Amino acid sequence: MTVVIDGKKLAQDIRVEIKAGVDKFRSERKRDIGLAVVLVGDNPASQVYVRNKIKACEEVGIKSYSEYLPANCAQNSLASVVKRLATDKNIDGILVQLPLPEHLDAEKILKLIPTEKDVDGFSEENTGKLSRGEDCLVACTPNGIMKILERYGVETCGKKAVVVGRSDIVGKPMAMLLINADATVTVCHSKTADLKGECLRADILVAAVGKTKFITADMVKEGATVIDVGMNRNENGKLCGDVDFENVKDKCSYITPVPGGVGPMTITMLMYNTLQAALRR
Ligand code: NAP
């Protein structure tokens, strides 16, 4: 029988654990844990993401510091805000909400975030450590997927995992985490010659493409675990994933729905990373 993974419930359970960790930290170290969220401009989607992150902070007892800059702000104004946060002792994690307006150089800004406050796990040092299997801050979405696999008891050791998508924020770190968890990993992308053949070999199939119903039932092996990272809007504006859920689900042993699968885990892992960052300082 197929298990439909309840990402919302799992995220809630993990937030309770994070809150306990945050409370313990506060009573032992006599200070709050701080997360700074930097938002430039008024992109409505970014505003929603930032609001949700601030709400999650309140829920787990992390103090949030919001920095709002106008859409037309200069590179050096944004840089000085990030530099100030980098040295602020009350701040354990810094998150610059992406995408930034086009005139700003996001790469240069992200480089100003010290590795130990890089709660998005995007820095060269954190991604380098991840590829060497060393302890580090890991990108939230793939880290959340590993938590899903772990908590649902999905075995990775010796299993064949296929990741469709090779972005720096999802596909690549996902592949690294699965390698570190002893899976045999194939990464597919738009130039992959036989995508269906690769997917059909997967015990664990992770779809991070950004295309509605991209993974169809004929691409999924019987009994596979299917993780849908996609967050797309269909023709009616409804949120949907990369997997043709209705037709794929009966073939799987485990599957994540959209919404309610991977999505709720992402912000929870940001809280988790902020707690980890504070504990390391
Ligand atoms: P991205 O940077 O656009 O990467 C998409 C990847 O899919 C690329 O590697 C691309 O290959 C590959 N691809 C595109 N068309 C393909 C095809 N026909 N066959 C095989 N591979 C193909 O996207 P992303 O940032 O990784 O995000 C992927 C999806 O996850 C999006 O829907 C995004 O909204 C969602 N997302 C969700 C969360 C969450 O919290 N749930 C977090 C982040 C992202 P090439 O490299 O060859 O172009």
Side-chain angles (χ1 to χ4, degrees):
M1 214 186 70
T2 308
V3 174
V4 178
I5 288 168
D6 189 345
K8 216 169 152 186
K9 160 93 173 57
L10 182 56
Q12 207 48 51
D13 291 350
I14 295 176
R15 283 188 196 193
V16 170
E17 295 167 18
I18 295 169
K19 182 167 189 324
V22 171
D23 290 346
K24 184 166 180 273
F25 180 95
R26 193 185 303 104
S27 73
E28 285 176 4
R29 315 257 185 124
K30 311 286 178 237
R31 73 167 180 93
D32 280 317
I33 295 177
L35 173 66
V37 182
V38 182
L39 175 63
V40 182
D42 43 22
N43 177 319
S46 294
Q47 284 176 332
V48 172
Y49 288 135
V50 165
R51 262 205 308 277
N52 289 341
K53 286 166 187 174
I54 293 170
K55 224 172 97 196
C57 282
E58 283 164 12
E59 207 181 311
V60 300
I62 289 175
K63 196 164 176 194
S64 64
Y65 297 79
S66 320
E67 298 280 350
Y68 297 106
L69 288 101
N72 63 355
C73 88
Q75 177 89 13
N76 60 1
S77 314
L78 176 58
S80 38
V81 169
V82 176
K83 281 182 192 162
R84 169 169 53 74
L85 297 169
T87 56
D88 187 334
K89 288 193 172 61
N90 295 314
I91 304 292
D92 297 284
I94 303 172
L95 180 140
V96 177
Q97 185 63 48
L98 299 176
L100 290 175
E102 263 180 27
H103 69 282
L104 297 169
D105 185 336
E107 197 121 311
K108 277 192 181 148
I109 295 295
L110 295 181
K111 281 204 164 102
L112 298 172
I113 301 174
T115 306
E116 64 276 14
K117 294 190 181 187
D118 168 39
V119 283
D120 258 338
F122 293 164
S123 73
E124 283 171 10
E125 200 172 325
N126 278 321
T127 51
K129 281 185 172 174
L130 177 64
S131 73
R132 292 196 301 267
E134 291 173 19
D135 187 38
C136 61
L137 293 167
V138 179
C140 298
T141 301
N143 209 11
I145 293 169
M146 292 311 287
K147 279 268 182 268
I148 289 176
L149 297 177
E150 202 182 292
R151 297 290 175 104
Y152 273 83
V154 177
E155 182 65 80
T156 51
C157 179
K159 299 295 175 190
K160 173 120 179 75
V162 173
V163 180
V164 189
R166 57 174 166 180
S167 69
D168 291 336
I169 62 166
V170 187
K172 283 180 193 154
M174 187 74 249
M176 290 302 165
L177 285 165
L178 287 163
I179 291 170
N180 295 346
D182 297 326
T184 302
V185 181
T186 302
V187 180
C188 299
H189 45 76
S190 66
K191 309 290 185 294
T192 297
D194 178 17
L195 182 69
K196 182 177 166 185
E198 299 294 348
C199 291
L200 274 171
R201 281 189 280 276
D203 300 308
I204 300 168
L205 178 62
V206 181
V209 182
K211 292 184 176 161
T212 307
K213 292 190 183 174
F214 184 78
I215 302 291
T216 47
D218 61 338
M219 298 166 83
V220 176
K221 184 166 93 172
E222 203 70 47
T225 292
V226 174
I227 303 290
D228 190 351
V229 186
M231 277 185 21
N232 316 302
R233 296 273 165 195
N234 70 7
E235 58 281 3
N236 305 317
K238 192 172 163 263
L239 186 67
C240 52
D242 288 345
V243 176
D244 181 4
F245 182 85
E246 280 313 315
N247 293 310
V248 167
K249 74 173 192 309
D250 293 336
K251 290 187 93 174
C252 307
S253 45
Y254 296 89
I255 187 167
T256 60
V258 177
V262 172
M265 291 298 290
T266 298
I267 292 184
T268 298
M269 295 316 286
L270 175 67
M271 301 299 112
Y272 176 86
N273 277 356
T274 307
L275 171 60
Q276 297 309 312
L279 288 168
R280 284 157 202 233
R281 275 178 66 211

